[in-house]
Amino acid sequence: MAADRDQNPPLPKVNPPPPLKAKAGVEDWKLFKQMWENYSIIISLNQQQPAYVLALFLHSIGQEGLTLYNGMKLAEGHKLTDVITAFDSHFIGTTNETYERYVFNSRQQGADETVEDYIAALRKLAKTCNFCDCLRESLLRDRLVLGITDHQTRKRLLQEPKLTLEGCIDMCRAAETTSSQLCAIGGEEAHAV
């Protein structure tokens, strides 16, 4: 009976993320890392021994990722967090916060880009800007107001004295939906009254 309690619980049948490629870039690594974190939650890796979790990670990164790992300088007895930090350092290096914020603040909505796609792009860019939690929402709201292509919607947004991010997103979505509905009805362009 004691042997049964010492065994690891059965894991759900979920595939790990696809292996890393030797020529993987920053975005490939970030995506792998996000997929790994999700995979870890799904199969409850927090209930496993650290050596098991590390071995599963090293198996999951594949042959080319393992070759990178073998070339890394890690302290003896290192843990998965140390390995992930080393991979972050390898792929990302030091993040230039000023540059990341420049990219965020200069991002405009593309001509054929939907509001949803623009918001998703801004959220992704904001992740590397190191914005504090207290400012993130207002900076996203401001970038959305200043970066949308619809000048009439921008005008309406600027008239709102207590505009929140959610309110801003709702107004942008509504304006985009109305514009497409007007085009469908009579081929008209949407104009503010």
Side-chain angles (χ1 to χ4, degrees):
M1 287 291 185
D4 289 343
R5 281 185 273 131
D6 292 338
Q7 291 180 347
N8 291 326
L11 300 176
K13 302 288 186 212
V14 177
N15 292 329
L20 278 175
K21 300 295 181 197
K23 296 186 183 201
V26 173
E27 291 304 316
D28 299 319
W29 164 246
K30 287 180 179 179
L31 188 60
F32 178 88
K33 187 169 136 179
Q34 183 179 10
M35 291 170 72
W36 171 260
E37 289 167 355
N38 291 335
Y39 175 70
S40 298
I41 293 167
I42 292 168
I43 66 168
S44 303
L45 281 182
N46 61 339
Q47 298 175 7
Q48 303 296 327
Q49 296 295 319
Y52 176 85
V53 176
L54 178 59
L56 184 59
F57 176 84
L58 295 175
H59 173 76
S60 298
I61 61 173
Q63 183 177 354
E64 295 173 3
L66 190 57
T67 301
L68 282 173
Y69 164 79
N70 289 336
M72 293 176 173
K73 184 178 180 181
L74 293 160
E76 192 172 323
H78 58 269
K79 297 182 171 125
L80 179 59
T81 54
D82 302 322
V83 173
I84 289 176
T85 300
F87 271 93
D88 280 341
S89 180
H90 174 81
F91 284 107
I92 301 169
T94 305
T95 302
N96 184 336
E97 184 179 286
T98 304
Y99 177 74
E100 297 297 325
R101 289 180 179 192
Y102 163 76
V103 172
F104 173 83
N105 286 310
S106 60
R107 178 64 160 83
Q108 301 287 329
Q109 182 181 16
D112 294 327
E113 187 175 32
T114 65
V115 168
E116 289 299 324
D117 290 343
Y118 182 50
I119 293 167
L122 289 176
R123 287 188 191 279
K124 182 178 175 186
L125 290 172
K127 287 182 180 180
T128 58
C129 292
N130 198 25
F131 294 139
C132 68
D133 292 337
C134 61
L135 284 177
R136 184 176 296 110
E137 297 267 316
S138 64
L139 292 170
L140 280 165
R141 177 205 59 207
D142 294 350
R143 187 69 245 146
L144 182 57
V145 170
L146 298 172
I148 59 172
T149 56
D150 185 345
H151 297 291
Q152 295 300 325
T153 302
R154 181 180 303 123
K155 182 178 176 182
R156 285 184 53 225
L157 293 169
L158 289 170
Q159 291 171 345
E160 290 292 322
K162 296 192 182 214
L163 184 65
T164 64
L165 176 60
E166 285 306 312
C168 181
I169 290 171
D170 289 344
M171 289 174 72
C172 289
R173 286 176 180 154
E176 186 175 70
T177 300
T178 302
S179 179
S180 64
Q181 289 171 344
L182 284 173
C183 288
I185 290 172
E188 302 174 33
E189 290 294 318
H191 293 289
V193 177

